[in-house]
Amino acid sequence: MQHSFNHAEKRPAAKVVSTTPGAAQSSVQPPRLLDQVRDAIRLRHYSIRTEQAYSDWIKRFILFHHKKHPREMGAPEVEQFLTHLKDVNFGCRQITVRDGKGEKDRMTMLPQGAIELLRAHLEKVKVLHDHDLEEGYGAVYLPYALERKYPNAEREWGWQYVFPAPNRSTDPRSGRARRHHVDEQTLQRAVKKAVRAAGLTKPAICHTLRHSFATHLLQSGYDIRTVQELLGHKDVGTTMIYTHVLNRGGQGVQSPLDAM
């Protein structure tokens, strides 16, 4: 009897649960964020692939910001995340050109006036990519055997083209359906249309924009080496060609007399 009495004394006191409606509701924990996301997706009858893709991107976004809750974040955090994924750096207003002239990477500027337009464009491209994933596609061609090194990279958002083609096409070598970049002729036709609309008498093509870019930089007084780096020229002598059209003499030097 003594042993049983002592054992009973050590039992924890029973919890008293309030029967008031307010107390009962406050004890219920709200659903977790990802559970809310899944419920919203299933309510719209999206596919399991879309649910997995959305959930994965939300987790990556939260982890990138050290598990900060989305309600505490806004446009700046989204911009940082987009900058982290792609070759477009909104914060530094910088674009990385991959495999450009001479098969080398180079940096160039992102105009302030183009940031909002580009951000809106990327949002539309992201929706298109999610749609491709939902239909079982969404893979992009990866060069230099990266497809074997990173098996899942071909479907990740960070590897997609900034300007994708409107339709998917079949790779003649592998037979796989992918979304390639926009056809070069699309840009060429747009430039020709703009030239006609502007009433220009001189011939102008896409490459003319590159020449104009370099010429305006030099006219603004930027150093020839800076222009060389932005254009990706291996030899500064190639960049020096643009000084001939500045009306400052053959070497692009302004006479001191003109500054007096």
Side-chain angles (χ1 to χ4, degrees):
M1 291 294 295
Q2 184 68 28
H3 175 73
S4 299
F5 180 76
N6 291 338
H7 182 71
E9 282 186 331
K10 295 179 180 179
R11 291 178 181 175
K15 293 182 178 179
V16 178
V17 180
S18 175
T19 58
T20 58
Q25 292 178 0
S26 62
S27 63
V28 177
Q29 294 293 331
R32 296 185 306 172
L33 174 64
L34 289 181
D35 291 335
Q36 297 180 47
V37 172
R38 295 187 184 100
D39 291 341
I41 291 176
R42 293 171 186 177
L43 184 64
R44 291 168 173 80
H45 305 289
Y46 288 168
S47 69
I48 186 63
R49 287 181 177 271
T50 301
E51 178 181 324
Q52 293 171 346
Y54 281 24
S55 299
D56 180 64
W57 278 108
I58 291 173
K59 285 191 292 185
R60 293 178 64 177
F61 175 69
I62 295 175
L63 291 175
F64 175 77
H65 289 290
H66 309 289
K67 298 185 179 180
K68 192 176 181 180
H69 199 281
R71 73 165 64 96
E72 302 174 2
M73 297 186 283
E77 286 78 11
V78 174
E79 181 176 308
Q80 293 172 15
F81 184 62
L82 291 175
T83 298
H84 164 71
L85 297 175
K86 308 183 15 159
D87 294 326
V88 180
N89 191 325
F90 289 107
C92 296
R93 291 190 296 173
Q94 179 175 280
I95 296 177
T96 303
V97 181
R98 303 291 183 184
D99 200 19
K101 198 173 185 67
E103 297 184 354
K104 294 182 179 180
D105 298 346
R106 73 177 187 274
M107 304 291 184
T108 189
M109 73 281 292
L110 173 61
Q112 179 68 39
I115 288 180
E116 292 303 322
L117 292 174
L118 182 57
R119 184 183 287 113
H121 170 76
L122 288 176
E123 291 177 357
K124 294 180 181 179
V125 175
K126 180 64 169 61
V127 172
L128 179 64
H129 177 57
D130 289 339
H131 180 70
D132 283 347
L133 291 173
E134 183 178 348
E135 294 190 346
Y137 299 96
V140 70
Y141 171 75
L142 298 181
Y144 310 119
L146 289 175
E147 184 177 354
R148 294 194 297 271
K149 188 175 182 180
Y150 305 105
N152 298 322
E154 63 178 4
R155 286 182 169 81
E156 292 182 357
W157 167 236
W159 289 94
Q160 305 303 310
Y161 289 110
V162 173
F163 299 101
N167 301 309
R168 293 187 292 263
S169 58
T170 302
D171 190 329
R173 296 179 178 177
S174 64
R176 299 182 60 187
R178 294 189 176 100
R179 190 178 296 278
H180 203 52
H181 59 69
V182 68
D183 192 342
E184 295 177 359
Q185 293 183 355
T186 303
L187 180 59
Q188 294 169 356
R189 287 193 292 266
V191 171
K192 288 182 179 180
K193 183 178 179 180
V195 169
R196 289 196 300 268
L200 299 180
T201 57
K202 294 183 178 181
I205 57 176
C206 294
H207 204 71
T208 306
L209 299 177
R210 178 177 169 88
H211 296 321
S212 300
F213 174 79
T215 302
H216 283 296
L217 287 177
L218 291 172
Q219 286 177 334
S220 300
Y222 286 98
D223 181 79
I224 191 70
R225 295 288 185 181
T226 300
V227 179
Q228 175 194 2
E229 184 175 349
L230 289 171
L231 292 177
H233 288 159
K234 185 177 180 181
D235 188 353
V236 71
T238 305
T239 317
M240 292 293 295
I241 296 175
Y242 294 103
T243 63
H244 297 167
V245 295
L246 295 181
N247 296 323
R248 298 181 186 171
Q251 300 299 320
V253 179
Q254 184 180 20
S255 171
L257 184 62
D258 293 332
M260 294 179 64

